[in-house]
Amino acid sequence: MTKVVIDPITRIEGHLRITCVVENGKVTDAWNTATLFRGFEIFMKNRDPKGIWQFAQRICGVCPTPHAFNSLKAVETALGVDKVSDSARLVRNMMEACQIGYDHILWFYQLNGFDYVNVPDALNAKAATPGLKAVQDQVKAVVDSGQLGPFANMYWDHPGYKLTPELNLEVTAHYLQALGVQQLANDAATMLGGRYPMIHNYVPGGVVQMPSIETIEFYKSNMAQVKDFIDTVMVPDLLAVAPFYLDLATYGQGVGNFLTWGVLDEKSQDPYDRLFPRGGIFDGKLELQKVDPDQTRQFTKTSYYGDDVGAGKHPLDVGQEPIQFTQLPPIEGEGLPQGKYDWTQATRYGDQNRPMEVGPLAQMLVAYLSGRPEAKTLVDSTLAAVGHAGDPMVLVSNLGRLAARVLKAKINADNALRWADDLLANIGGGDTTVYNELDYSRDGTGKGGWDAPRGALCHYTRIKDGKIDTYAAVPPSNWNLSPRDDSGKRGPVEEALVGTPVVDPAKPLEILRTVHTFDP
């Protein structure tokens, strides 16, 4: 038995340790440990519901916008409001389109690309164009300096890198190009939101103002360039790289349960009518079922909280106190995580307390099974391109997570301009309402349920006497990176790691690949 500990897992949003047992060249057991305490639920209490979303969006520096939306929605539904005006819907969709556009490009190239693209090997390529030669010279200058910066601390001599030098060079060039494209999406969000990250234009009941025509046109220009990059660079890169790594389809299957609350409202504002609709898939059967955020349950026997804090309760009845921190699992020696080992609470769904995978793979599978034409067309064509036509089960793997995020980025970009055009049509038709006053004298309980780029996200709140009485946020990490629950059942990432082949435990590239497919 060989114990492998990676701490921290790099190129991710939070702080994460992974502990694995490797036997006979494969992972036979795994534990994930979130090493930071969050605590927003504690200091949200007794605040004014009007401004709580400003605090909530700071839960995540990478995906603040969906946290803001969820907080708004929780307050709105607590006060008896299920819908906002159509123009407010469109502005919120446009904001989310910027968030997804930036995030998924960032993940594909900056956060995940180096797991498959060998940057130093790009120096061995025959550069086909002056532009690629310039990139090659840039890489050479960095390597010759001995200060590798973002290219340091990788397993560049690992035999698991399979691309040709020429393809390594081309995708490295796209890695650099992607930085500018992400900025285009963020600039569009900044114009709409007043700043980015931590936007200013949301308010319970709608948005603070109708964007000017100039702002809408700026958004359209930028998002058209984002769409062009995804169509002509990002999707082709996926199709070029994937055939070299088809073995990724043979492991990383995980728990076989998938969940999405949905994201990007159509005109009905029905969560089952979203561009990426709400839904669940259970026990590995590609059959779609309806899901309810109030069926979320949390357990804390292996988390740094009292055992009774969770115990299968609804998020609003859990909270984050009392804390019962013991110690982080040992890095050195053969000792493995035992007892309490994670700041994340084990989140489960429904009466059977199922662990659920969330994220773009869940969103694309649910959209596909819902019959959304964009998802059907893209998934079927991608399966054919990688030699698995008519076999969507092959997506339930590390390869599927890689493909799903790229395909979702394309669907998002394809629709980003539609919402802007619909907003212009509303303005032309005199429909300029973007805000409706709420009755803050009411008491009530509400919830969001609007996916972040990394997966299912839901905020819950109780409002009493004009103040936040209770608040709970269940982000994607609580699902994917949940530890073992009270019955000892592994969380999705832990389960996906089991069976992962490891060629060299001293250079566990394959473990990083599996973890990174979840965008932790």
Side-chain angles (χ1 to χ4, degrees), residues 355-378:
M356 306 295 292
E357 177 176 338
V358 302
L361 177 55
Q363 293 159 348
M364 287 300 299
L365 287 173
V366 169
Y368 183 83
L369 295 175
S370 297
R372 292 290 308 197
E374 311 95 329
K376 289 279 291 180
T377 300
L378 273 179

PDB file of all heavy atoms in Angstrom, residues 355-378:
ATOM      1  N   PRO A 355     -25.502  10.513  -2.445  1.00  0.00           N
ATOM      2  CA  PRO A 355     -24.516  11.515  -2.865  1.00  0.00           C
ATOM      3  C   PRO A 355     -24.776  11.865  -4.322  1.00  0.00           C
ATOM      4  O   PRO A 355     -25.085  10.981  -5.124  1.00  0.00           O
ATOM      5  CB  PRO A 355     -23.178  10.790  -2.684  1.00  0.00           C
ATOM      6  CG  PRO A 355     -23.507   9.338  -2.799  1.00  0.00           C
ATOM      7  CD  PRO A 355     -24.918   9.172  -2.285  1.00  0.00           C
ATOM      8  N   MET A 356     -24.678  13.135  -4.683  1.00  0.00           N
ATOM      9  CA  MET A 356     -25.023  13.585  -6.030  1.00  0.00           C
ATOM     10  C   MET A 356     -23.854  14.338  -6.653  1.00  0.00           C
ATOM     11  O   MET A 356     -23.306  15.256  -6.043  1.00  0.00           O
ATOM     12  CB  MET A 356     -26.239  14.514  -5.985  1.00  0.00           C
ATOM     13  CG  MET A 356     -27.468  13.958  -5.281  1.00  0.00           C
ATOM     14  SD  MET A 356     -28.221  12.528  -6.089  1.00  0.00           S
ATOM     15  CE  MET A 356     -28.872  13.272  -7.590  1.00  0.00           C
ATOM     16  N   GLU A 357     -23.495  13.970  -7.882  1.00  0.00           N
ATOM     17  CA  GLU A 357     -22.510  14.759  -8.628  1.00  0.00           C
ATOM     18  C   GLU A 357     -23.214  15.952  -9.255  1.00  0.00           C
ATOM     19  O   GLU A 357     -24.307  15.812  -9.822  1.00  0.00           O
ATOM     20  CB  GLU A 357     -21.848  13.921  -9.725  1.00  0.00           C
ATOM     21  CG  GLU A 357     -20.868  14.752 -10.570  1.00  0.00           C
ATOM     22  CD  GLU A 357     -20.116  13.949 -11.604  1.00  0.00           C
ATOM     23  OE1 GLU A 357     -20.000  12.709 -11.442  1.00  0.00           O
ATOM     24  OE2 GLU A 357     -19.614  14.556 -12.574  1.00  0.00           O
ATOM     25  N   VAL A 358     -22.594  17.110  -9.148  1.00  0.00           N
ATOM     26  CA  VAL A 358     -23.139  18.320  -9.765  1.00  0.00           C
ATOM     27  C   VAL A 358     -22.081  18.931 -10.682  1.00  0.00           C
ATOM     28  O   VAL A 358     -20.907  18.630 -10.564  1.00  0.00           O
ATOM     29  CB  VAL A 358     -23.577  19.339  -8.691  1.00  0.00           C
ATOM     30  CG1 VAL A 358     -24.626  18.729  -7.765  1.00  0.00           C
ATOM     31  CG2 VAL A 358     -22.387  19.826  -7.879  1.00  0.00           C
ATOM     32  N   GLY A 359     -22.513  19.783 -11.602  1.00  0.00           N
ATOM     33  CA  GLY A 359     -21.573  20.431 -12.512  1.00  0.00           C
ATOM     34  C   GLY A 359     -22.028  20.318 -13.954  1.00  0.00           C
ATOM     35  O   GLY A 359     -23.128  19.820 -14.245  1.00  0.00           O
ATOM     36  N   PRO A 360     -21.197  20.772 -14.893  1.00  0.00           N
ATOM     37  CA  PRO A 360     -21.589  20.756 -16.304  1.00  0.00           C
ATOM     38  C   PRO A 360     -21.979  19.388 -16.843  1.00  0.00           C
ATOM     39  O   PRO A 360     -22.847  19.304 -17.707  1.00  0.00           O
ATOM     40  CB  PRO A 360     -20.342  21.302 -17.008  1.00  0.00           C
ATOM     41  CG  PRO A 360     -19.767  22.255 -16.017  1.00  0.00           C
ATOM     42  CD  PRO A 360     -19.956  21.563 -14.686  1.00  0.00           C
ATOM     43  N   LEU A 361     -21.352  18.300 -16.339  1.00  0.00           N
ATOM     44  CA  LEU A 361     -21.772  16.984 -16.836  1.00  0.00           C
ATOM     45  C   LEU A 361     -23.227  16.721 -16.452  1.00  0.00           C
ATOM     46  O   LEU A 361     -24.026  16.262 -17.278  1.00  0.00           O
ATOM     47  CB  LEU A 361     -20.859  15.887 -16.275  1.00  0.00           C
ATOM     48  CG  LEU A 361     -21.241  14.454 -16.670  1.00  0.00           C
ATOM     49  CD1 LEU A 361     -21.327  14.307 -18.179  1.00  0.00           C
ATOM     50  CD2 LEU A 361     -20.242  13.456 -16.081  1.00  0.00           C
ATOM     51  N   ALA A 362     -23.590  17.024 -15.198  1.00  0.00           N
ATOM     52  CA  ALA A 362     -24.976  16.870 -14.780  1.00  0.00           C
ATOM     53  C   ALA A 362     -25.889  17.778 -15.606  1.00  0.00           C
ATOM     54  O   ALA A 362     -26.976  17.365 -16.046  1.00  0.00           O
ATOM     55  CB  ALA A 362     -25.118  17.188 -13.288  1.00  0.00           C
ATOM     56  N   GLN A 363     -25.460  19.016 -15.837  1.00  0.00           N
ATOM     57  CA  GLN A 363     -26.288  19.961 -16.592  1.00  0.00           C
ATOM     58  C   GLN A 363     -26.497  19.494 -18.029  1.00  0.00           C
ATOM     59  O   GLN A 363     -27.613  19.577 -18.566  1.00  0.00           O
ATOM     60  CB  GLN A 363     -25.616  21.344 -16.562  1.00  0.00           C
ATOM     61  CG  GLN A 363     -25.583  21.970 -15.176  1.00  0.00           C
ATOM     62  CD  GLN A 363     -24.519  23.042 -15.041  1.00  0.00           C
ATOM     63  OE1 GLN A 363     -23.640  23.192 -15.894  1.00  0.00           O
ATOM     64  NE2 GLN A 363     -24.592  23.796 -13.955  1.00  0.00           N
ATOM     65  N   MET A 364     -25.428  18.991 -18.663  1.00  0.00           N
ATOM     66  CA  MET A 364     -25.554  18.552 -20.057  1.00  0.00           C
ATOM     67  C   MET A 364     -26.382  17.267 -20.154  1.00  0.00           C
ATOM     68  O   MET A 364     -27.170  17.106 -21.089  1.00  0.00           O
ATOM     69  CB  MET A 364     -24.164  18.339 -20.660  1.00  0.00           C
ATOM     70  CG  MET A 364     -23.412  19.630 -20.959  1.00  0.00           C
ATOM     71  SD  MET A 364     -24.254  20.730 -22.132  1.00  0.00           S
ATOM     72  CE  MET A 364     -24.348  19.710 -23.592  1.00  0.00           C
ATOM     73  N   LEU A 365     -26.191  16.345 -19.208  1.00  0.00           N
ATOM     74  CA  LEU A 365     -26.992  15.110 -19.243  1.00  0.00           C
ATOM     75  C   LEU A 365     -28.477  15.411 -19.060  1.00  0.00           C
ATOM     76  O   LEU A 365     -29.324  14.859 -19.770  1.00  0.00           O
ATOM     77  CB  LEU A 365     -26.509  14.148 -18.149  1.00  0.00           C
ATOM     78  CG  LEU A 365     -25.160  13.464 -18.383  1.00  0.00           C
ATOM     79  CD1 LEU A 365     -24.728  12.683 -17.147  1.00  0.00           C
ATOM     80  CD2 LEU A 365     -25.208  12.538 -19.599  1.00  0.00           C
ATOM     81  N   VAL A 366     -28.800  16.298 -18.109  1.00  0.00           N
ATOM     82  CA  VAL A 366     -30.207  16.640 -17.873  1.00  0.00           C
ATOM     83  C   VAL A 366     -30.776  17.389 -19.086  1.00  0.00           C
ATOM     84  O   VAL A 366     -31.912  17.124 -19.515  1.00  0.00           O
ATOM     85  CB  VAL A 366     -30.350  17.466 -16.585  1.00  0.00           C
ATOM     86  CG1 VAL A 366     -31.759  18.062 -16.463  1.00  0.00           C
ATOM     87  CG2 VAL A 366     -30.054  16.591 -15.362  1.00  0.00           C
ATOM     88  N   ALA A 367     -29.997  18.313 -19.659  1.00  0.00           N
ATOM     89  CA  ALA A 367     -30.462  19.025 -20.858  1.00  0.00           C
ATOM     90  C   ALA A 367     -30.685  18.051 -22.013  1.00  0.00           C
ATOM     91  O   ALA A 367     -31.670  18.159 -22.758  1.00  0.00           O
ATOM     92  CB  ALA A 367     -29.453  20.105 -21.249  1.00  0.00           C
ATOM     93  N   TYR A 368     -29.788  17.091 -22.149  1.00  0.00           N
ATOM     94  CA  TYR A 368     -29.886  16.072 -23.213  1.00  0.00           C
ATOM     95  C   TYR A 368     -31.151  15.231 -23.025  1.00  0.00           C
ATOM     96  O   TYR A 368     -31.941  15.048 -23.959  1.00  0.00           O
ATOM     97  CB  TYR A 368     -28.643  15.196 -23.169  1.00  0.00           C
ATOM     98  CG  TYR A 368     -28.560  14.148 -24.244  1.00  0.00           C
ATOM     99  CD1 TYR A 368     -28.082  14.456 -25.520  1.00  0.00           C
ATOM    100  CD2 TYR A 368     -28.937  12.825 -23.995  1.00  0.00           C
ATOM    101  CE1 TYR A 368     -27.989  13.483 -26.505  1.00  0.00           C
ATOM    102  CE2 TYR A 368     -28.848  11.847 -24.971  1.00  0.00           C
ATOM    103  CZ  TYR A 368     -28.371  12.183 -26.232  1.00  0.00           C
ATOM    104  OH  TYR A 368     -28.278  11.214 -27.204  1.00  0.00           O
ATOM    105  N   LEU A 369     -31.362  14.762 -21.801  1.00  0.00           N
ATOM    106  CA  LEU A 369     -32.544  13.921 -21.534  1.00  0.00           C
ATOM    107  C   LEU A 369     -33.832  14.726 -21.560  1.00  0.00           C
ATOM    108  O   LEU A 369     -34.911  14.165 -21.794  1.00  0.00           O
ATOM    109  CB  LEU A 369     -32.387  13.231 -20.169  1.00  0.00           C
ATOM    110  CG  LEU A 369     -31.242  12.215 -20.070  1.00  0.00           C
ATOM    111  CD1 LEU A 369     -31.100  11.700 -18.651  1.00  0.00           C
ATOM    112  CD2 LEU A 369     -31.449  11.055 -21.041  1.00  0.00           C
ATOM    113  N   SER A 370     -33.727  16.055 -21.322  1.00  0.00           N
ATOM    114  CA  SER A 370     -34.906  16.922 -21.393  1.00  0.00           C
ATOM    115  C   SER A 370     -35.303  17.224 -22.832  1.00  0.00           C
ATOM    116  O   SER A 370     -36.357  17.817 -23.068  1.00  0.00           O
ATOM    117  CB  SER A 370     -34.648  18.246 -20.662  1.00  0.00           C
ATOM    118  OG  SER A 370     -34.423  18.030 -19.301  1.00  0.00           O
ATOM    119  N   GLY A 371     -34.433  16.848 -23.770  1.00  0.00           N
ATOM    120  CA  GLY A 371     -34.726  17.093 -25.171  1.00  0.00           C
ATOM    121  C   GLY A 371     -34.387  18.483 -25.645  1.00  0.00           C
ATOM    122  O   GLY A 371     -34.877  18.908 -26.713  1.00  0.00           O
ATOM    123  N   ARG A 372     -33.563  19.208 -24.898  1.00  0.00           N
ATOM    124  CA  ARG A 372     -33.149  20.531 -25.380  1.00  0.00           C
ATOM    125  C   ARG A 372     -32.373  20.343 -26.683  1.00  0.00           C
ATOM    126  O   ARG A 372     -31.369  19.625 -26.729  1.00  0.00           O
ATOM    127  CB  ARG A 372     -32.246  21.220 -24.356  1.00  0.00           C
ATOM    128  CG  ARG A 372     -32.906  21.619 -23.062  1.00  0.00           C
ATOM    129  CD  ARG A 372     -33.891  22.761 -23.164  1.00  0.00           C
ATOM    130  NE  ARG A 372     -33.396  23.952 -23.805  1.00  0.00           N
ATOM    131  CZ  ARG A 372     -33.988  25.144 -23.697  1.00  0.00           C
ATOM    132  NH1 ARG A 372     -35.084  25.276 -22.957  1.00  0.00           N
ATOM    133  NH2 ARG A 372     -33.515  26.202 -24.333  1.00  0.00           N
ATOM    134  N   PRO A 373     -32.828  20.961 -27.771  1.00  0.00           N
ATOM    135  CA  PRO A 373     -32.228  20.662 -29.085  1.00  0.00           C
ATOM    136  C   PRO A 373     -30.743  20.997 -29.164  1.00  0.00           C
ATOM    137  O   PRO A 373     -29.975  20.274 -29.814  1.00  0.00           O
ATOM    138  CB  PRO A 373     -33.058  21.526 -30.049  1.00  0.00           C
ATOM    139  CG  PRO A 373     -33.770  22.528 -29.190  1.00  0.00           C
ATOM    140  CD  PRO A 373     -33.958  21.896 -27.868  1.00  0.00           C
ATOM    141  N   GLU A 374     -30.329  22.094 -28.465  1.00  0.00           N
ATOM    142  CA  GLU A 374     -28.903  22.446 -28.536  1.00  0.00           C
ATOM    143  C   GLU A 374     -28.057  21.344 -27.926  1.00  0.00           C
ATOM    144  O   GLU A 374     -27.001  20.969 -28.459  1.00  0.00           O
ATOM    145  CB  GLU A 374     -28.646  23.755 -27.786  1.00  0.00           C
ATOM    146  CG  GLU A 374     -29.589  24.900 -28.136  1.00  0.00           C
ATOM    147  CD  GLU A 374     -30.765  24.993 -27.176  1.00  0.00           C
ATOM    148  OE1 GLU A 374     -31.199  23.942 -26.657  1.00  0.00           O
ATOM    149  OE2 GLU A 374     -31.266  26.118 -26.960  1.00  0.00           O
ATOM    150  N   ALA A 375     -28.505  20.824 -26.782  1.00  0.00           N
ATOM    151  CA  ALA A 375     -27.748  19.779 -26.094  1.00  0.00           C
ATOM    152  C   ALA A 375     -27.756  18.479 -26.896  1.00  0.00           C
ATOM    153  O   ALA A 375     -26.729  17.802 -27.003  1.00  0.00           O
ATOM    154  CB  ALA A 375     -28.334  19.553 -24.704  1.00  0.00           C
ATOM    155  N   LYS A 376     -28.910  18.125 -27.459  1.00  0.00           N
ATOM    156  CA  LYS A 376     -28.996  16.889 -28.238  1.00  0.00           C
ATOM    157  C   LYS A 376     -28.020  16.926 -29.405  1.00  0.00           C
ATOM    158  O   LYS A 376     -27.272  15.975 -29.649  1.00  0.00           O
ATOM    159  CB  LYS A 376     -30.424  16.706 -28.768  1.00  0.00           C
ATOM    160  CG  LYS A 376     -31.452  16.355 -27.705  1.00  0.00           C
ATOM    161  CD  LYS A 376     -31.430  14.895 -27.357  1.00  0.00           C
ATOM    162  CE  LYS A 376     -31.928  14.019 -28.490  1.00  0.00           C
ATOM    163  NZ  LYS A 376     -31.899  12.590 -28.113  1.00  0.00           N
ATOM    164  N   THR A 377     -28.029  18.039 -30.141  1.00  0.00           N
ATOM    165  CA  THR A 377     -27.184  18.142 -31.330  1.00  0.00           C
ATOM    166  C   THR A 377     -25.706  18.078 -30.960  1.00  0.00           C
ATOM    167  O   THR A 377     -24.921  17.324 -31.573  1.00  0.00           O
ATOM    168  CB  THR A 377     -27.480  19.470 -32.059  1.00  0.00           C
ATOM    169  OG1 THR A 377     -28.852  19.477 -32.442  1.00  0.00           O
ATOM    170  CG2 THR A 377     -26.605  19.622 -33.280  1.00  0.00           C
ATOM    171  N   LEU A 378     -25.312  18.843 -29.957  1.00  0.00           N
ATOM    172  CA  LEU A 378     -23.894  18.906 -29.603  1.00  0.00           C
ATOM    173  C   LEU A 378     -23.398  17.593 -29.000  1.00  0.00           C
ATOM    174  O   LEU A 378     -22.309  17.121 -29.335  1.00  0.00           O
ATOM    175  CB  LEU A 378     -23.666  20.041 -28.597  1.00  0.00           C
ATOM    176  CG  LEU A 378     -23.419  21.428 -29.192  1.00  0.00           C
ATOM    177  CD1 LEU A 378     -23.237  22.436 -28.063  1.00  0.00           C
ATOM    178  CD2 LEU A 378     -22.193  21.424 -30.101  1.00  0.00           C
TER     179      LEU A 378
END
